[in-house]
Amino acid sequence: MKRIFCLLLFFCTQITAAVFSPEDIQKLKHNFLANIQANGAIVASPSRQEPNYYFDWIRDSAIAMGLIETWYETTHAQEYKDRLVHYVSWTQLVQHQQDPLPGQDIIGEPKFYINGYPFDGAWGRPQNDGPALRASVLIRFAQELLDQNETEYVRTYLYNNSLDPRTASVIKTDLEYTAHHWTDENFDLWEEVLGNHFFTAMAQQKALLDGAALAHRLNDENAAAYYEQQAYLINFRLYQHLDQNNHLIQATLPPHTGPQKTFELDSSVILGILLNPQNGILAPNSIYVEKTVNALHKQFNNMFPINNNESGPILFGRYPGDTYDGYQTNSIGNPWFILTATMAEYYFTLADNLSMYPKQHQLMEQYLNTGDGYLKLIKKYAPDMNLDEQINLNTGVQQGANSLTWSYVSVLHALELRNKLTRK
């Protein structure tokens, strides 16, 4: 029976995994890598006007390098290692800039010009998810290098126990900032709301737990204990995001300034769930997550005529009532490639969590098919594999920043998990 199940699963995954051809995937990778600069910076998009995204956003770059790190772990290819090393050099550069704005900490600055100078115009700052995301990616790199006995590079550039800002390593700098500032109000990942955010807290907790593991390995025991303590305390913040009346997860703790969202629904919650895997009430299959996904699905069906009230996979946007259309903030928001791909990854994650249970093969296949449905939507609206930021809610024509780095990363990351399931 087990052999029959394995053959059935192999056949199903081989058939459904072909949403994107090898040629499609190579085009996606090519477009993604084209946005990585020789000095380690990563432009969010080549677009320089209407809108101007030609900056290195700390958040976007960390998410992008997380994918590069995954490829390096899998292949140990020198190309990916070189990109990570350049990213470390870039991180050193931006961490040690002088902030031109009074009262701002350079580590909380959200974006930089490609020469490494911090953006000095009006903006939502600080944004504290970026340092945490960056720390987690570089910790993974450090752990991989330690496994290869490259201890000197790790201790010199990635992690030392210095608390002096002038000599602290890149990971230590981000961890110390995260450990001491996670209670601070900051701007959310959409750069619109000042407050306390679920996604940011999930990123911060993950970074501190990852950091504690690295600190233990490098005999920085006092730091490890402190990071673990702060990560534990973040649990109390995370549970405050639970709307116990509606069994939903609130993206930002009310009250707050900025856009007021229906039930504080926001797709960033799903990003947080996938970023920092949990058991129990914040697990991907928990009732709170399930109801949040269902509520978002209902809202986006109502918001976007292009979805045509489908019961299955639909195009996802940021949140109900979004007014940013990719060019201006007083319009109507559209579906995003990032978030539609996130839903594919979400269902693949549910399938992955069932992969050890043969009796759940029908449910697993259902999750796989649903995830593939989201991938098919992406291919439908980007048949040439060029992914902009948004998809017009009426016409399906792409709009907003062109060739968005994060769009490629989200699709490629979902495909990585899909292919992993195919190999099981």
Side-chain angles (χ1 to χ4, degrees):
M1 178 61 71
K2 184 175 181 181
R3 182 174 181 272
I4 293 173
F5 163 71
C6 291
L7 288 172
L8 175 64
L9 180 59
F10 176 80
F11 176 76
C12 291
T13 53
Q14 287 295 312
I15 294 297
T16 56
V19 174
F20 288 87
S21 69
E23 292 76 18
D24 291 336
I25 294 172
Q26 285 306 309
K27 288 179 182 177
L28 291 170
K29 287 185 175 181
H30 172 80
N31 293 340
F32 161 50
L33 294 174
N35 287 345
I36 302 179
Q37 308 300 296
N39 66 347
I42 306 169
V43 294
S45 159
S47 179
R48 294 175 186 255
Q49 58 183 357
E50 295 184 359
N52 183 4
Y53 277 37
Y54 202 78
F55 300 94
D56 180 293
W57 263 270
I58 300 301
R59 171 192 313 104
D60 298 40
S61 292
I63 290 170
M65 293 311 296
L67 181 61
I68 297 291
E69 168 56 24
T70 296
W71 293 344
Y72 177 60
E73 290 174 5
T74 304
T75 67
H76 286 171
Q78 188 66 39
E79 172 195 357
Y80 301 136
K81 184 177 182 180
D82 290 344
R83 291 186 184 279
L84 287 160
V85 168
H86 294 158
Y87 179 62
V88 171
S89 298
W90 167 259
T91 300
Q92 286 181 307
L93 174 66
V94 299
Q95 283 182 340
H96 290 91
Q97 294 289 330
Q98 290 295 319
D99 201 311
L101 301 173
Q104 297 295 327
D105 190 318
I106 195 68
I107 307 303
E109 285 292 342
K111 65 179 183 177
F112 290 75
Y113 296 99
I114 304 309
N115 64 5
Y117 191 77
F119 179 72
D120 50 358
W123 210 251
R125 47 173 70 85
Q127 294 179 29
N128 291 344
D129 56 337
L133 293 165
R134 182 170 60 193
S136 285
V137 171
L138 293 179
I139 289 166
R140 284 172 53 197
F141 186 40
Q143 294 281 22
E144 190 71 18
L145 292 178
L146 289 173
D147 290 344
Q148 299 169 36
N149 297 316
E150 296 190 43
T151 305
E152 183 177 355
Y153 178 86
V154 172
R155 289 189 178 277
T156 302
Y157 297 105
L158 293 176
Y159 188 95
N160 58 37
N161 58 7
S162 173
L163 295 177
D164 185 336
R166 296 168 298 180
T167 58
S169 53
V170 290
I171 293 173
K172 188 73 167 181
T173 297
D174 283 340
L175 288 176
E176 288 296 314
Y177 180 86
T178 299
H180 288 90
H181 292 277
W182 69 264
T183 59
D184 297 354
E185 288 191 341
N186 64 109
F187 278 86
D188 68 325
L189 77 169
W190 308 135
E191 306 185 299
E192 296 176 336
V193 178
L194 178 65
N196 298 299
H197 315 294
F198 181 80
F199 175 81
T200 302
M202 289 289 269
Q204 290 169 324
Q205 184 183 64
K206 176 174 173 53
L208 291 169
L209 290 174
D210 293 344
L214 181 62
H216 279 304
R217 187 170 183 179
L218 294 174
N219 301 313
D220 193 5
E221 296 299 337
N222 288 338
Y226 181 64
Y227 300 152
E228 287 170 346
Q229 178 192 48
Q230 298 308 305
Y232 172 77
L233 292 174
I234 291 176
N235 276 326
F236 296 99
R237 164 68 58 75
L238 291 172
Y239 294 150
Q240 290 177 344
H241 288 265
L242 300 177
D243 176 351
Q244 298 188 21
N245 293 325
N246 298 292
H247 290 93
L248 302 171
I249 301 176
Q250 298 177 322
T252 303
L253 296 181
H256 60 75
T257 60
Q260 304 299 302
K261 304 171 185 177
T262 304
F263 296 114
E264 291 301 326
L265 285 170
D266 192 306
S267 293
S268 64
V269 167
I270 312 306
L271 287 168
I273 292 293
L274 297 175
L275 174 70
N276 184 7
Q278 308 254 335
N279 296 315
I281 205 164
L282 295 179
N285 64 347
S286 80
I287 188 66
Y288 277 88
V289 178
E290 180 183 343
K291 283 186 174 292
T292 300
V293 167
N294 291 340
L296 286 165
H297 189 285
K298 181 178 179 180
Q299 291 287 328
F300 294 137
N301 250 338
N302 292 333
M303 282 177 62
F304 304 142
I306 198 170
N307 283 331
N308 199 30
N309 287 317
E310 290 287 342
S311 59
I314 62 171
L315 297 171
F316 263 57
R318 298 195 301 176
Y319 56 85
D322 190 0
T323 62
Y324 177 60
D325 66 1
Y327 309 108
Q328 55 190 354
T329 58
N330 59 349
S331 183
I332 300 175
N334 298 292
W336 286 45
F337 283 111
I338 294 170
L339 301 166
T340 304
T342 295
M343 292 310 302
E345 183 185 348
Y346 170 70
Y347 282 101
F348 295 153
T349 299
L350 293 177
D352 191 29
N353 290 343
L354 289 177
S355 61
M356 300 301 295
Y357 303 97
K359 292 183 179 180
Q360 296 291 330
H361 68 274
Q362 287 187 332
L363 182 57
M364 181 179 176
E365 184 179 347
Q366 178 183 327
Y367 290 148
L368 289 171
N369 289 334
T370 302
D372 287 339
Y374 283 99
L375 292 182
K376 289 174 183 176
L377 285 172
I378 292 167
K379 186 166 184 178
K380 176 180 179 180
Y381 294 106
D384 61 356
M385 301 301 113
N386 290 306
L387 304 178
D388 295 349
E389 183 183 68
Q390 302 185 27
I391 305 161
N392 186 277
L393 75 165
N394 293 303
T395 67
V397 175
Q398 296 189 42
Q399 64 185 66
N402 67 289
S403 201
L404 191 77
T405 300
W406 196 352
S407 293
Y408 297 118
V409 172
S410 292
V411 176
L412 289 167
H413 198 273
L415 288 170
E416 286 287 319
L417 180 52
R418 187 64 175 87
N419 290 334
K420 171 188 170 184
L421 289 163
T422 303
R423 293 191 297 267
K424 283 192 173 184

